[in-house]
Amino acid sequence: MKSFTYERATSPAEAAAKAAKTPGARFIAGGTNLLDLMKLEIETPPHLIDVNGLGLDKIEATDDGGLRIGALVRNTDLAADDRVRRDYGVLSRALLAGASGQLRNKATTAGNLLQRTRCPYFYDTAQACNKRAPGSGCSAIGGFSRQHAVVGASTACIATHPSDMAVAMRVLDAQVETVKPDGKTRRIKIADFHKLPGTTPHIETALQTGEFITAVTLPKPIGGSHVYHKIRDRASYAFALVSVAAVIQPDGTGRVALGGVAHKPWRVEKAETDLPKGAKAVMAKLMADATPTPENEFKITLVERTLSAALMDARA
Amino acid sequence: MASPIDISPNRRDLLITAGAAAALSSAATATTAQTADLSQPVISKISFSVNGADQALELDLRTTLLDALREHLHLTGTKKGCDHGQCGACTVMVNGKRINSCLSLAVMHDGDEITTIEGLGTPDKLHPMQAAFIKHDGYQCGYCTPGQICSAVAVLEEIKAGIPSHVSDDLTATPQVSAHEMRERMSGNICRCGAYSNIIDAMSEVAGATA
């Protein structure tokens, strides 16, 4: 691990200003992903800004009937919150399907959104990776790509976003609240928060330099049946090959988002009008322009079957 | 919540000389990335409680909680397996919650209360979970065992606290102690000897005895 300096932030705005003034600085909260990457020297921040003491660990009701989840709320606490379990079950289910008990006790809401891909070529510093070293190429393309993206990928990067929580956030139309280095705040729709790789896969989110996430807000509950189906190589503690987050109403209408298939949580709103007709009817629009590799084309079939199972579960 | 911190960019060998404490405290919050010499370790003062005893250390900022426990406090019960949060051998309790000590910087635990396997029980006075692991043969080589036991104790507390899991049928119901629930909740602790079924037997006995 490279040496670094460290400070404890005293306010979100100050943290953002400090981060903007210190090239390469990183915020650290749970640290479960950042320290992993620092040990491998994939991340080499010269300065860490510890944001754990900012009091952003509360879940509060909003005026419009939703919830404001502090950026530092731990994954365990968010999954166990009574309001989340009752009104946003898909979020609780997604969180509980991710990582291990130890990691969920540490991992935070904002950190979960910002976690990096688990593409093995991103992790292997001897391999070309446009995300880790822009311009170096992509060893995953033509490599072992069983776990990689099948939609929204580019010729520069076929990595997937690893989060389960973010997939549920996408289906719930969450918004990300931030403060910028100049002290101004803004809200970013979760749909716009994560980027597709395009030609700049190292740019993963809409955040500007130094911009600091303070909370994630959920709109008022939409009712319906909440399900999260995650398919992985072992029954627990593994990243998704494919996951489906769905909120289905009694009349069969609803929303669906996918994990494990793209560089961001994958949702195609215009496909959702076909949900009452079943999984097969949704697939054409949901997976339009898919570009699977021979090693991961099974994910297309797996999406349809997982969605079908999720819809049956939701209607049960 | 923010507390003043002591950071010095000074070299470790300088700190060993007389006046090191003064150098540390005077550097305080003045350190920035621009002024620090990052070719040298950056040293920080850290205080926390381990198994009920207060500890004060001067550590390279890069020191994980795991390395602070093992290499500096010589509490070698906590094991280093993968060092990347994948195996669970390093599991300890911080302020009553289990975490992977390998994926946490020691400096981020200033003021925390840490419990390791040495703090759960001793050979003369075993924790009930330690006794149950012995009775049910919940290990072979034993390397993952301290992490398994710390996790097992925490799992029963988490179920008692009503925290749901991936396998809880009803999210809004109070989770129950069952082998199914415990297996899922222990998935962050890998045992390459495959003692899993005996570990669940040990946990079941403790859960039954304390229910």
Side-chain angles (χ1 to χ4, degrees):
Chain A
M1 194 188 301
K2 298 282 189 193
S3 204
F4 55 85
T5 51
Y6 169 90
E7 71 178 304
R8 297 191 181 107
T10 54
S11 78
E14 181 243 32
K18 275 280 178 64
K21 268 191 287 189
T22 314
R26 287 276 190 277
F27 303 118
I28 187 162
T32 52
N33 189 206
L34 182 57
L35 285 168
D36 181 25
L37 295 169
M38 285 170 65
K39 287 182 181 188
L40 297 166
E41 298 190 358
I42 294 166
E43 293 268 10
T44 54
H47 187 63
L48 290 181
I49 301 172
D50 183 343
V51 297
N52 283 288
L54 297 180
L56 300 173
D57 55 354
K58 295 168 192 69
I59 306 172
E60 301 162 320
T62 59
D63 293 341
D64 62 1
L67 286 182
R68 175 177 288 105
I69 303 156
L72 274 289
V73 173
R74 308 287 156 174
N75 287 179
T76 297
D77 298 330
L78 183 56
D81 184 90
D82 286 340
R83 296 160 291 186
V84 176
R85 286 156 76 174
R86 186 188 64 218
D87 298 329
Y88 306 95
V90 67
L91 176 56
S92 201
R93 286 286 182 204
L95 283 160
L96 295 170
S100 67
Q102 291 97 314
L103 290 167
R104 289 192 297 270
N105 280 343
K106 261 285 175 198
T108 63
T109 306
N112 191 314
L113 289 179
L114 294 174
Q115 65 180 303
R116 312 293 305 274
T117 184
R118 266 50 173 206
C119 172
Y121 298 97
F122 172 75
Y123 263 74
D124 182 349
T125 53
Q127 298 280 354
C129 173
N130 288 318
K131 186 182 282 297
R132 171 169 36 74
S136 63
C138 173
S139 292
I141 296 173
F144 293 101
S145 57
R146 178 173 173 270
Q147 301 182 49
H148 290 75
V150 293
V151 280
S154 73
T155 54
C157 179
I158 59 170
T160 57
H161 196 272
S163 173
D164 293 293
M165 184 198 80
V167 183
M169 293 290 197
R170 179 69 182 92
V171 97
L172 292 168
D173 282 334
Q175 295 200 15
V176 181
E177 293 190 347
T178 70
V179 59
K180 292 200 260 192
D182 62 5
K184 293 202 175 92
T185 60
R186 68 163 172 160
R187 288 174 149 216
I188 306 166
K189 290 179 185 171
I190 191 79
D192 303 327
F193 184 78
H194 294 104
K195 302 287 187 191
L196 287 178
T199 57
T200 55
H202 59 291
I203 300 172
E204 297 174 343
T205 71
L207 294 176
Q208 296 165 7
T209 302
E211 189 169 6
F212 175 71
I213 299 174
T214 51
V216 176
T217 58
L218 299 177
K220 71 179 182 203
I222 56 169
S225 181
H226 289 229
V227 293
Y228 189 76
H229 277 228
K230 179 176 180 178
I231 309 300
R232 40 187 162 172
D233 284 332
R234 56 186 184 196
S236 183
Y237 197 22
F239 291 99
L241 288 167
V242 161
S243 70
V244 170
V247 179
I248 304 298
Q249 302 298 336
D251 64 1
T253 62
R255 305 173 180 185
V256 59
L258 306 177
V261 298
H263 199 256
K264 59 188 282 186
W266 191 254
R267 183 176 171 198
V268 180
E269 275 91 340
K270 67 182 179 199
E272 292 169 359
T273 53
D274 292 324
L275 271 174
K277 290 186 253 173
K280 202 174 189 68
V282 177
M283 285 297 288
K285 288 176 190 160
L286 183 60
M287 302 302 282
D289 303 319
T291 54
T293 69
E295 288 195 354
N296 68 18
E297 62 188 352
F298 74 93
K299 284 192 177 183
I300 309 278
T301 311
L302 194 56
V303 166
E304 183 180 330
R305 290 178 181 171
T306 310
L307 178 57
S308 185
L311 294 178
M312 279 171 57
D313 188 17
R315 287 162 189 164
Chain B
M1 291 291 286
S3 53
I5 51 172
D6 295 311
I7 287 178
S8 169
N10 296 341
R11 287 159 48 198
R12 185 193 294 271
D13 53 357
L14 280 179
L15 291 169
I16 294 165
T17 64
L24 278 165
S25 54
S26 63
T29 56
T31 305
T32 68
Q34 285 92 342
T35 59
D37 174 9
L38 293 182
S39 67
Q40 301 296 330
V42 184
I43 309 296
S44 175
K45 279 186 177 178
I46 297 150
S47 303
F48 45 53
S49 145
V50 181
N51 302 329
D54 290 339
Q55 302 287 353
L57 297 169
E58 292 178 10
L59 298 174
D60 185 327
L61 275 175
R62 293 171 289 185
T63 311
T64 60
L65 177 58
L66 173 62
D67 286 342
L69 293 169
R70 286 182 56 84
E71 308 293 333
H72 297 270
L73 297 174
H74 307 295
L75 292 167
T76 52
T78 308
K79 299 299 187 231
K80 182 180 284 195
C82 68
D83 209 24
H84 285 277
Q86 297 173 4
C87 77
C90 68
T91 302
V92 300
M93 255 89 84
V94 175
N95 301 331
K97 291 182 178 170
R98 60 177 168 148
I99 68 163
N100 300 109
S101 61
C102 75
L103 283 188
S104 207
L105 293 173
V107 70
M108 295 174 73
H109 292 285
D110 210 49
D112 282 348
E113 290 182 14
I114 294 142
T115 304
T116 68
I117 189 72
E118 291 93 341
L120 282 182
T122 63
D124 298 331
K125 195 180 177 195
L126 293 171
H127 184 281
M129 192 65 79
Q130 292 172 313
F133 266 63
I134 293 168
K135 178 179 167 187
H136 290 277
D137 206 12
Y139 50 84
Q140 280 187 43
C141 81
Y143 195 80
C144 73
T145 310
Q148 298 278 2
I149 291 175
C150 284
S151 222
V153 170
V155 160
L156 298 188
E157 290 298 319
E158 288 166 14
I159 294 174
K160 205 182 286 180
I163 294 168
S165 87
H166 174 60
V167 299
S168 304
D169 285 332
D170 181 354
L171 263 187
T172 57
T174 305
Q176 304 298 306
V177 177
S178 68
H180 191 43
E181 280 281 357
M182 290 189 288
R183 271 197 290 269
E184 158 60 22
R185 292 166 191 264
M186 290 296 287
S187 70
N189 291 81
I190 310 296
C191 169
R192 65 151 293 171
C193 303
Y196 297 114
S197 63
N198 292 356
I199 290 171
I200 294 298
D201 289 347
M203 291 178 68
S204 299
E205 176 171 311
V206 175
T210 58

